[in-house]
Amino acid sequence: IPIGNSKESKESPGSTWPKDIIALEPGETAWDVVLKKIKELSDSDCRDAFMVADLGVLASRHQLFRQALPRVSPFYSVKCSSSPWMLRVLAALGTSFDCASQGELEQVLALGVAPSCIVYANPCKPVSHIRFAALHGVNLLVFDSEEELIKVAQHHPGARLVLRLWTQDSGSLFPLSSKFGARLEVCEHLLKSARDLGLAVVGTSFHVGSRCQTPHNFAKAIADCRRVFEMGSRIGHDMSLLDIGGGFPGEEGSDPEFEEVAGVINTALAQDFPKGSGIEIIAEPGRFYATSVCMTAINIIAKKAVLEPGGRRKLLYYLNDGHYGTFRIFSRESEPRMPIVVKELSPKLPLFPCTLFGPTCDAFDKLFLKEVQLPELDVGDWLVFPFMGAYTSVMSSTFNGFSPTSICYAVGPELRSLLEITP
Ligand code: PLP
């Protein structure tokens, strides 16, 4: 893709939108913003990596979720991307929130979100964070062990507890079940312990693992929840809330598609928690909302060509974002992501195996485990990675003194008025 084909922005140079907000003109896209920024930076000697988030995409993901899963209320999982503008958009659209810590609770409460619209879904919580939740009226808490019940009985006796079940997470790219979830065999004991401690269990939750590739795991977990609902009711709990967790695909064209996963969930809900059963159903989507919101543009800061034994020519590119920046999550994926090369290139150019290194002095600092096939590029050239919104900037560090990649937010007129953003 050549530089210079972006639309000219009509924004006046002196406009005073909030520093990280780019006001989109009608017809202008986030991609236009990326190209414009690349052009501006290329004219200077500072070619820092940057991210552009399209908040309109976030709003359309919300709409898609509500359409495909009409019985399920989304509690956006803040850990996935805690960017303040993203949280503000979601709060304005009426989303609730899944928080994992006091820090996330503070961030969401500061937006004016009602404590009743938060689930504190980390099953293993520090006592001080439980006390913070109690003090601020965040009552919906997830647990999966007797030890957690004892802490909650002491520090948040008025909590409404949700029992997280163990689920099958094979086929998920980021499994969670080795760390969290009570097995069915121990649920009766936990439900009785809660009752004996005077605690109210109101429902069950599960998480099939992030980027679940086996939709049937949702159906199996929903069926397990039904069994535990019956168990809980027999023991004397008022079971009224089902939390189906996260794990939904983040990108269009993923296998399976979100619509397929949603279809499996809707069928399982109709079977085990039919309409009219009076059960409130919630989910904790993270990746589904955030992935396609952001693009990251990074620059080649250094380059080496090496000849491998056998004469294979290999290129090493050194980029200004990497494992210790926004690419950390990709060290868990076996296949590399393909960048968009922002340069006019002949399609006939030969491709070379390329290792993409990040900027630090650590040799582990690679963007991906495997090589990527790219044409020969130069120092100063730009690569753009789409689908960079989930588990990226939240995991950035300042290792080796490199600043986290900056983010700007492209916002169209409708969202600007919803959020009351004015120059
Ligand atoms: N809820 C909990 C408790 C999680 O641990 C996670 C991710 O780790 C999520 C929700 C979000 O999952 P995803 O991004 O796959 O939707």
Side-chain angles (χ1 to χ4, degrees):
I1 301 228
I3 304 183
N5 63 353
S6 66
K7 296 193 178 108
E8 278 305 308
S9 167
K10 294 184 201 88
E11 203 180 305
S12 71
S15 72
T16 52
W17 293 102
K19 210 165 87 292
D20 51 354
I21 291 288
I22 309 263
L24 289 178
E25 302 286 339
E28 195 183 18
T29 66
W31 177 245
D32 295 329
V33 172
V34 171
L35 293 180
K36 189 173 160 219
K37 268 184 90 72
I38 285 179
K39 197 164 183 330
E40 276 166 18
L41 293 175
S42 300
D43 290 342
S44 77
D45 58 358
C46 167
R47 297 187 178 196
D48 285 349
F50 65 89
M51 291 177 101
V52 174
D54 185 342
L55 295 181
V57 169
L58 187 59
S60 44
R61 296 303 280 173
H62 178 60
Q63 211 177 4
L64 179 59
F65 192 92
R66 295 312 315 250
Q67 272 165 7
L69 290 167
R71 295 183 58 204
V72 183
S73 305
F75 281 53
Y76 171 71
S77 193
V78 176
K79 64 180 77 61
C80 180
S81 171
S82 58
S83 120
W85 283 115
M86 283 184 55
L87 299 186
R88 279 187 64 182
V89 171
L90 291 170
L93 294 172
T95 309
S96 297
F97 294 91
D98 146 32
C99 295
S101 63
Q102 179 174 334
E104 289 187 356
L105 292 173
E106 281 171 344
Q107 204 185 349
V108 172
L109 289 168
L111 294 174
V113 172
S116 58
C117 295
I118 297 175
V119 57
Y120 186 179
N122 188 337
C124 299
K125 298 170 276 298
V127 163
S128 59
H129 297 211
I130 296 175
R131 289 170 72 94
F132 178 89
L135 194 65
H136 291 85
V138 176
N139 296 333
L140 199 57
L141 263 58
V142 173
F143 78 105
D144 65 359
S145 68
E146 193 155 12
E147 286 68 19
E148 196 72 4
L149 284 176
I150 293 165
K151 286 190 294 181
V152 173
Q154 200 180 346
H155 301 287
H156 196 344
R160 300 169 65 232
L161 286 166
V162 177
L163 172 51
R164 173 147 163 195
L165 306 190
W166 182 91
T167 56
Q168 184 53 258
D169 62 1
S170 57
S172 292
L173 253 64
F174 306 93
L176 297 166
S177 295
S178 63
K179 189 166 182 181
F180 297 117
R183 300 264 181 180
L184 275 184
E185 310 83 81
V186 301
C187 285
E188 184 161 353
H189 173 73
L190 289 175
L191 290 163
K192 283 183 176 161
S193 298
R195 180 198 57 197
D196 297 345
L197 286 162
L199 293 169
V201 178
V202 297
T204 61
S205 72
F206 60 84
H207 195 306
V208 291
S210 199
R211 272 186 84 188
C212 170
Q213 293 179 314
T214 316
H216 177 72
N217 289 349
F218 275 99
K220 171 81 178 62
I222 290 169
D224 287 348
C225 284
R226 164 74 190 264
R227 286 179 63 187
V228 178
F229 262 61
E230 286 162 6
M231 228 182 256
S233 303
R234 273 200 312 276
I235 290 168
H237 294 291
D238 183 9
M239 304 293 279
S240 58
L241 185 129
L242 171 67
D243 176 352
I244 63 170
F248 312 96
E251 297 165 35
E252 271 170 40
S254 59
D255 183 22
E257 291 268 16
F258 171 62
E259 286 76 2
E260 184 188 338
V261 178
V264 171
I265 293 171
N266 287 332
T267 305
L269 291 177
Q271 187 173 315
D272 293 312
F273 295 91
K275 261 192 197 157
S277 57
I279 304 298
E280 181 187 356
I281 305 167
I282 70 170
E284 301 165 8
R287 181 183 292 285
F288 171 81
Y289 273 82
T291 303
S292 47
V293 170
C294 285
M295 290 177 262
T296 302
I298 58 178
N299 198 259
I300 300 176
I301 54 172
K303 167 188 168 185
K304 290 175 198 164
V306 288
L307 271 188
E308 293 196 312
R312 187 175 83 138
R313 187 161 189 267
K314 190 178 155 178
L315 296 168
L316 313 182
Y317 291 125
Y318 299 74
L319 297 136
N320 53 3
D321 193 353
H323 177 79
Y324 296 99
T326 55
F327 286 81
R328 183 176 304 204
I329 193 76
F330 302 116
S331 64
R332 311 236 211 126
E333 292 186 3
S334 55
E335 291 307 314
R337 305 277 175 130
M338 276 309 289
I340 299 164
V341 178
V342 186
K343 188 175 189 180
E344 206 147 5
L345 292 170
S346 156
K348 292 191 192 126
L349 280 181
L351 300 179
F352 297 96
C354 302
T355 301
L356 304 184
F357 282 114
T360 71
C361 293
D362 180 7
F364 185 77
D365 183 7
K366 289 180 192 166
L367 276 62
F368 308 109
L369 298 176
K370 286 192 187 157
E371 293 165 344
V372 182
Q373 298 291 320
L374 287 173
E376 173 124 27
L377 300 170
D378 298 307
V379 170
D381 285 346
W382 290 91
L383 304 180
V384 176
F385 289 89
F387 304 119
M388 286 294 290
Y391 304 106
T392 49
S393 47
V394 270
M395 292 192 176
S396 280
S397 73
T398 55
F399 185 50
N400 273 219
F402 289 100
S403 306
T405 293
S406 66
I407 312 182
C408 63
Y409 299 86
V411 200
E414 270 177 43
L415 271 183
R416 290 204 296 272
S417 61
L418 179 71
L419 298 176
E420 296 174 2
I421 306 174
T422 48

